[in-house]
Amino acid sequence: MHRVLGGCAMKGNRWVDPAPFEGARPQVPWWVWLPGWVKLVLAPFALLWLALRLAAKFVMLTVRYPIAVTAGLGGDVAYRQFGLSPLVLALLSLVCALTVWYGLDRDSFLRHGWYRVLTEWRRLSVYVPQWRTVMRLAEMTKEVRGKEYLPKLRRVRSEGWRDKVRVG
């Protein structure tokens, strides 16, 4: 005689254990267990830490891409000061200058202009989002005491039909 009691099967008088839980238990951060008043007291410090981290990221972005950051901030200042028309005129002038550069010296334009833009685009859209997965599939990761270590993506360089990737 088989009976189901509370989702677990029973055969006569013998208890049959349900299948063990095979999934990973969800992990929650340690601060979730803190009382609400402690979180309220620590919130300003967490916001300050977040603001400092964002400022450091902006400084690193400025160091890595000084022309792009300067042009972006200059464009914002010009838009606020003079309106949209001068900004559109400046962008069209830039496009015309790049077109003239391409027409006069195509190799120089590709090497110093287009390939650098292409490099950053490929780095952001291809390599960075899939880096961890590719390193795992290539079995280039190491695990020590439950922590995963994988090679860092150092430099990407696009050269038209191929990409050179430096790993460290």
Side-chain angles (χ1 to χ4, degrees), residues 11-127:
K11 290 183 179 178
N13 289 345
R14 283 188 354 176
W15 175 264
V16 178
D17 286 332
F21 180 69
E22 294 178 3
R25 293 196 182 274
Q27 298 286 328
V28 294
W30 60 269
W31 52 266
V32 169
W33 303 109
L34 292 175
W37 66 271
V38 174
K39 290 183 208 173
L40 189 63
V41 169
L42 293 179
F45 298 106
L47 289 174
L48 178 65
W49 176 79
L50 181 63
L52 290 174
R53 186 167 173 172
L54 287 174
K57 291 273 186 185
F58 183 73
V59 167
M60 291 304 297
L61 186 74
T62 304
V63 167
R64 185 175 175 120
Y65 308 108
I67 295 172
V69 171
T70 304
L73 290 176
D76 183 53
V77 168
Y79 173 71
R80 291 176 190 271
Q81 190 76 23
F82 304 112
L84 189 60
S85 297
L87 184 60
V88 170
L89 183 63
L91 288 176
L92 288 175
S93 300
L94 177 65
V95 169
C96 290
L98 290 174
T99 305
V100 168
W101 181 19
Y102 179 81
L104 292 176
D105 192 1
R106 181 174 187 224
D107 291 334
S108 171
F109 174 79
L110 290 175
R111 185 174 50 252
H112 296 296
W114 178 247
Y115 289 153
R116 287 190 183 184
V117 171
L118 185 63
T119 292
E120 293 307 320
W121 174 255
R122 302 246 335 135
R123 177 184 178 87
L124 290 173
S125 66
V126 174
Y127 293 104

